[in-house]
Amino acid sequence: MVADFNVAKSPKDIAFYASLLAAAFPVCQVMTIMYWSRLSDRIGRRPVLMIGLFGYLVSFLMFGICRSFYWALFARCINGLLAGNVAVIKSVFAEISDDTNRPRMMALLPLMWNVGSIGGAAIGGIFADPTHQYPRIFGHMEIFRVFPYLLPCLIGCSITVFGLVMGIFKMEETLVREPASRTMDTRTPRTSPSSSVSTLATESTQLLTEPAQPKQRSMRELLTPTVVRVMATNVVMGLGVAMSDQAYPIFAASDLSDGGLGFAARGIGFSLAVSGVAVMYLQLVAYPKLERKYGALDCYQRGQKLLIPVYLAIPFLSLLTSRLEESIDASTPVPTSPSWMSHALGEYTLWLLLVLLLLARTTGTVLAFTSINLLTVNLAPSKSELGFMNGTQQLAMTTTRIAGPIMAGVIWTWSIKHSLPYPFNSHMVWVLCAALTALSLHMSHKIPESVNTFAAGNSKRNTNDDV
């Protein structure tokens, strides 16, 4: 898409502009995420979610009809400014769950994220520029010739419209507002002593029976050492994931001479779609069992241990692809020749390794993000602080979504422009992703085991864990 805008001076600069386009959404989201979170505390979760879905609908249409890089950038900014749904939906899930189903409920959040990320990327790759990819079906439709990226955006709009309809007619408000503690008439008339004693007794009974408003903790009280450690490892891990999310499409689309795979848009979309097959099983079946057996903190660490070797292995697929291309040039175009069969076997091996690595990467991401969401909820000392914890975590994660794509694009562009040895060649961005994940894993070992317990449901939690 960025290449079609003709904004890049050379093919090697495409990654930089693609990174700017990807980073526009989280940059604008950072500006408004706390506003939408606080607004949902005042007017309810449901209306804020509906506003966010409407914003998605408008920005998708704008993005689909863009004809220039700056118009696409503007559409991404509108999308980010109206995207308060992520933090709000975490509060909704916390409000409708309890200790018996909280791990399974929190597992739905990264499930939706992974299905949306993988499915959205696959839809974009498969249905982009339909007049050239599928000329028999869309070749006569002038609208898709003028706007080659409108079709995948329309598919996204249809999904958004479905969510809006379901939210308007089916979703119930989950925010339960606390009733006022009591109302007193300060203009009490003078009465006899016996009447005053009776009034005092009545007011004393009201003080004992009516619920008191919970004391609002300050930010300093909430940001305990344990909370800071969890948020810090979350940021470092999230930065590595954000960089890899941006790096893979660039890596897959880049030429073999630049250390990529040389895939077309359809190949990239297909590879992402295949890797997303296991997400539903991992989120709904595997993760709740693993969390019950090992705890959220251990699952978080296991996910990072899986991601490190995957990041290091992915760029070596370019070397295998180069060997396959060399075998094609050296072979004769005879289907029965051993060289041709060897090439076919090598291509199957390449796709098998790619799918396995992407499945392993998805598994590690599922374990890490599901666990960190659950750990964040567990950190809240009471349900009245769930919004603060979820908003703080989302603000931290959005920051990584800003820095990650930009860093990945800049590092990739720099590495392929300079002929340097490993690890400063095209492997550099992947090595950095692995290093960040290793650092996050090291930091997570300083987090106490008490984070595996929902603090808001345990008023007797030992405060020494936060020292």
Side-chain angles (χ1 to χ4, degrees):
M1 183 179 190
V2 175
D4 293 341
F5 290 147
N6 296 319
V7 68
K9 296 180 180 179
S10 69
K12 296 181 184 294
D13 294 323
I14 292 177
F16 173 74
Y17 287 98
S19 300
L20 290 180
L21 201 60
F25 174 87
V27 166
C28 293
Q29 189 182 37
V30 162
M31 300 177 184
T32 58
I33 187 66
M34 295 305 296
Y35 168 78
W36 293 118
S37 299
R38 293 178 180 178
L39 182 64
S40 71
D41 290 332
R42 297 197 301 269
I43 67 175
R45 318 297 187 197
R46 182 171 172 268
V48 175
L49 290 175
M50 296 304 102
I51 293 173
L53 287 174
F54 181 76
Y56 288 160
L57 180 63
V58 173
S59 59
F60 288 167
L61 288 174
M62 293 174 59
F63 196 77
I65 62 175
C66 64
R67 302 289 299 276
S68 68
F69 174 79
Y70 297 104
W71 180 257
L73 189 66
F74 177 72
R76 289 281 293 170
C77 290
I78 295 296
N79 196 356
L81 290 172
L82 297 175
N85 292 26
V86 179
V88 176
I89 202 67
K90 290 180 181 180
S91 299
V92 171
F93 275 47
E95 288 164 348
I96 63 176
S97 63
D98 54 35
D99 292 337
T100 63
N101 61 1
R102 186 166 292 108
R104 187 179 295 273
M105 293 293 294
M106 299 309 295
L108 290 174
L109 290 171
L111 170 63
M112 293 183 292
W113 175 264
N114 280 289
V115 170
S117 299
I118 296 173
I123 290 172
I126 294 172
F127 294 101
D129 198 7
T131 58
H132 289 91
Q133 290 203 76
Y134 313 101
R136 293 185 178 180
I137 302 175
F138 300 100
H140 63 283
M141 298 184 182
E142 185 64 22
I143 187 173
F144 295 129
R145 190 180 303 277
V146 177
F147 304 112
Y149 302 99
L150 178 59
L151 181 58
C153 291
L154 290 177
I155 296 175
C157 287
S158 65
I159 298 173
T160 305
V161 169
F162 176 77
L164 272 171
V165 172
M166 294 296 294
I168 293 172
F169 295 103
K170 295 294 184 180
M171 181 180 179
E172 298 180 1
E173 179 58 58
T174 62
L175 178 61
V176 179
R177 295 178 176 83
E178 295 290 339
S181 58
R182 66 180 184 273
T183 57
M184 295 181 61
D185 189 357
T186 56
R187 297 174 299 178
T188 305
R190 294 184 179 182
T191 57
S192 63
S194 60
S195 177
S196 299
V197 172
S198 176
T199 302
L200 180 62
T202 302
E203 292 180 354
S204 300
T205 303
Q206 290 178 345
L207 289 173
L208 292 174
T209 57
E210 292 180 354
Q213 293 289 341
K215 180 182 177 181
Q216 192 72 30
R217 294 174 173 83
S218 66
M219 183 179 297
R220 179 175 296 181
E221 291 174 323
L222 291 171
L223 292 178
T224 64
T226 298
V227 172
V228 173
R229 293 188 190 109
V230 171
M231 295 300 172
T233 182
N234 186 7
V235 168
V236 177
M237 180 274 299
L239 182 60
V241 173
M243 289 178 62
S244 68
D245 286 344
Q246 178 69 14
Y248 175 72
I250 298 174
F251 162 74
S254 297
D255 295 333
L256 292 175
S257 59
D258 292 329
L261 297 178
F263 283 0
R266 186 185 299 184
I268 299 173
F270 179 75
S271 64
L272 291 172
V274 171
S275 65
V277 171
V279 170
M280 186 170 296
Y281 171 79
L282 289 170
Q283 296 284 184
L284 298 181
V285 179
Y287 181 81
K289 294 180 179 179
L290 291 173
E291 193 277 334
R292 284 195 298 269
K293 184 176 182 180
Y294 300 107
L297 180 59
D298 189 75
C299 290
Y300 178 62
Q301 294 169 345
R302 287 172 184 263
Q304 295 180 91
K305 291 177 182 177
L306 181 59
L307 286 173
I308 294 172
V310 169
Y311 289 150
L312 295 175
I314 286 178
F316 284 100
L317 293 176
S318 178
L319 181 61
L320 176 59
T321 308
S322 299
R323 295 291 183 267
L324 289 176
E325 292 295 326
E326 293 175 2
S327 68
I328 293 177
D329 296 336
S331 64
T332 58
V334 180
T336 58
S337 65
S339 58
W340 184 271
M341 295 181 65
S342 175
H343 164 67
L345 180 61
E347 188 172 1
Y348 290 140
T349 302
L350 168 65
W351 272 99
L352 177 62
L353 292 174
L354 177 61
V355 170
L356 289 177
L357 286 173
L358 291 178
L359 285 174
R361 177 174 170 269
T362 301
T363 302
T365 304
V366 166
L367 289 174
F369 274 109
T370 307
S371 299
I372 203 66
N373 286 335
L374 187 57
L375 292 176
T376 301
V377 170
N378 288 346
L379 286 171
S382 67
K383 292 185 178 181
S384 61
E385 274 80 29
L386 279 171
F388 174 84
M389 289 297 174
N390 288 325
T392 303
Q393 188 218 11
Q394 189 58 38
L395 184 63
M397 290 304 302
T398 304
T399 304
T400 66
R401 292 288 167 183
I402 297 172
I406 295 177
M407 290 176 61
V410 171
I411 293 171
W412 178 268
T413 302
W414 181 89
S415 64
I416 64 176
K417 284 184 175 181
H418 299 78
S419 300
L420 297 176
Y422 179 89
F424 301 105
N425 53 1
S426 59
H427 292 239
M428 186 175 179
V429 64
W430 297 104
V431 172
L432 184 56
C433 290
L436 288 170
T437 307
L439 175 61
S440 174
L441 177 62
H442 173 73
M443 295 168 62
S444 69
H445 289 296
K446 298 181 180 181
I447 300 174
E449 293 289 336
S450 59
V451 296
N452 289 319
T453 304
F454 185 48
N458 182 15
S459 59
K460 297 181 180 181
R461 183 186 178 190
N462 188 358
T463 56
N464 292 332
D465 291 337
D466 291 330
V467 177

